[in-house]
Amino acid sequence: MERILAAEDDPSLVRLLEIELSHAGYEIKTVTDGMTALHLAISEHWDLILLDIMLPQLTGIQVLKELRQTLQTPIILLTAKNTEQDIIEGLEAGADDYLTKPFSMGELLARIKTSLRRGTLHKHLQELSYKDTLTGLLNRRGFSEEAALLLKGNNQTHCRVAIMMIDVDNFKNYNDTYGHPAGDSVLQNVAAQLSAAVSGKKALLCRFGGEEFIVLLPDCTLQDAEQIAQTLRAAVEALHIPSGTGAQLPSVTVSIGLAAAAVQDESQLAQCVSLADKALYTAKTTGKNRIVLENK
């Protein structure tokens, strides 16, 4: 059932929205002020938001501008203000649609269906552009976008994160020996083991490029990240995939670099990634199939 949050301070319209949208098959939650609307919109998942412009505490436009910093949820503005400038202001603030009062329920329901359909399509296209088609993990662009959203949504001054950089050892040898389709299978296996290692944990998983992966673990200490890394390293080695002609190790393994830091913005996050990459380089040049920690 699709969930709709409606912020409206007219009691009669609130009751009408609750009746009509519930009857139409939606789960509807109503609030009567902008502050509550902002809190609920951020803290819970909604498929669509109906937002009156003239709300107490925070106006609909103020709420809309705040939400558009982190959310792409479809938003329809409801208002008695219908001048061209009012409409332009609402759309430029990030509204997907604009409905002036009084309106018919039939028109509102039609606009809701249209906005939901657009939202589903947008989400699908975004997922395609953010995902690595081979492994199903985030690609580099998706990682950057999701990491930025995570930092913006963090309520603390600094967000403690651990970064794990992973590289498949001897991957060129494997590709040269068995061919690229077999190499693709190795990457899929590593991605699957990586997903299993962080199962149940809040994490961003990404194929960073080629045979390299990156994991961002928010609210995670370096020691906890090391345990996850050890689980992953052992799981890949236990697959016993032959590493190919001329490889230093008999089976495919991974080297992992770890770093942790309290970050406030994307620039500081990039520095932490750089530290993890430095640790990975050390792991690769001191024997491979190992984990190296770099703290900040």
Side-chain angles (χ1 to χ4, degrees), residues 48-51 64 67-68 72-77 94-98 115:
L48 183 136
I49 297 171
L50 300 174
L51 194 58
L64 179 58
L67 293 180
R68 281 302 180 237
Q72 294 302 316
T73 306
I75 298 176
I76 300 176
L77 289 179
D96 296 277
D97 205 349
Y98 194 105
S115 292

Side-chain angles (χ1 to χ4, degrees), residues 78-94:
L78 308 176
T79 182
K81 300 176 71 174
N82 61 359
T83 68
E84 181 180 4
Q85 185 55 42
D86 292 327
I87 295 173
I88 290 172
E89 181 184 17
L91 294 175
E92 287 186 343

Side-chain angles (χ1 to χ4, degrees), residues 102-162:
F103 51 81
S104 70
M105 275 297 145
E107 182 179 6
L108 175 60
L109 289 172
R111 289 178 183 267
I112 287 174
K113 286 182 180 179
T114 299
S115 292
L116 286 171
R117 187 164 58 246
R118 288 174 182 164
T120 300
L121 178 60
H122 174 76
K123 184 178 180 180
H124 178 64
L125 292 174
Q126 186 179 57
E127 286 178 351
L128 288 176
S129 68
Y130 281 10
K131 289 289 182 71
D132 173 58
T133 55
L134 178 65
T135 64
L137 303 182
L138 291 171
N139 58 25
R140 198 160 183 164
R141 175 186 176 187
F143 178 82
S144 296
E145 292 289 336
E146 292 294 326
L149 288 176
L150 186 149
L151 292 177
K152 286 181 181 178
N154 180 53
N155 294 324
Q156 306 297 322
T157 304
H158 290 79
C159 179
R160 185 74 186 178
V161 300

Side-chain angles (χ1 to χ4, degrees), residues 165-175 186-187 190 211-213 233 236-237 241-244 247-257 280-291:
M165 294 290 292
I166 304 139
D167 189 83
V168 181
D169 298 324
N170 307 310
F171 190 68
K172 183 179 185 304
N173 287 318
Y174 189 89
N175 265 343
V186 166
L187 295 177
V190 171
E211 68 271 27
E212 195 169 66
F213 299 82
R233 189 207 58 75
V236 172
E237 188 174 25
I241 302 171
S243 56
Q248 294 172 299
L249 300 167
S251 61
V252 171
T253 56
V254 292
S255 296
I256 302 174
L280 173 62
Y281 177 79
T282 302
K284 298 288 286 186
T285 56
T286 55
K288 303 180 182 178
N289 190 28
R290 64 191 60 207
I291 300 162

Side-chain angles (χ1 to χ4, degrees), residues 29-73:
K29 170 70 176 178
T30 56
V31 296
T32 57
D33 67 85
M35 191 68 73
T36 305
L38 179 60
H39 172 73
L40 280 178
I42 293 174
S43 62
E44 297 185 26
H45 167 75
W46 305 97
D47 296 292
L48 183 136
I49 297 171
L50 300 174
L51 194 58
D52 183 21
I53 286 184
M54 304 300 290
L55 289 170
Q57 297 186 28
L58 288 176
T59 68
I61 296 296
Q62 288 174 315
V63 173
L64 179 58
K65 288 180 178 179
E66 285 291 324
L67 293 180
R68 281 302 180 237
Q69 292 186 38
T70 56
L71 296 181
Q72 294 302 316
T73 306

Side-chain angles (χ1 to χ4, degrees), residues 166-229:
I166 304 139
D167 189 83
V168 181
D169 298 324
N170 307 310
F171 190 68
K172 183 179 185 304
N173 287 318
Y174 189 89
N175 265 343
D176 290 346
T177 303
Y178 300 107
H180 289 285
D184 288 348
S185 180
V186 166
L187 295 177
Q188 290 170 332
N189 271 305
V190 171
Q193 295 302 325
L194 179 55
S195 297
V198 300
S199 177
K201 299 176 178 64
K202 187 177 181 182
L204 297 182
L205 285 65
C206 166
R207 182 184 175 196
F208 212 52
E211 68 271 27
E212 195 169 66
F213 299 82
I214 185 171
V215 181
L216 185 156
L217 296 156
D219 303 318
C220 182
T221 65
L222 193 63
Q223 290 70 33
D224 288 341
E226 184 181 12
Q227 291 182 354
I228 295 171

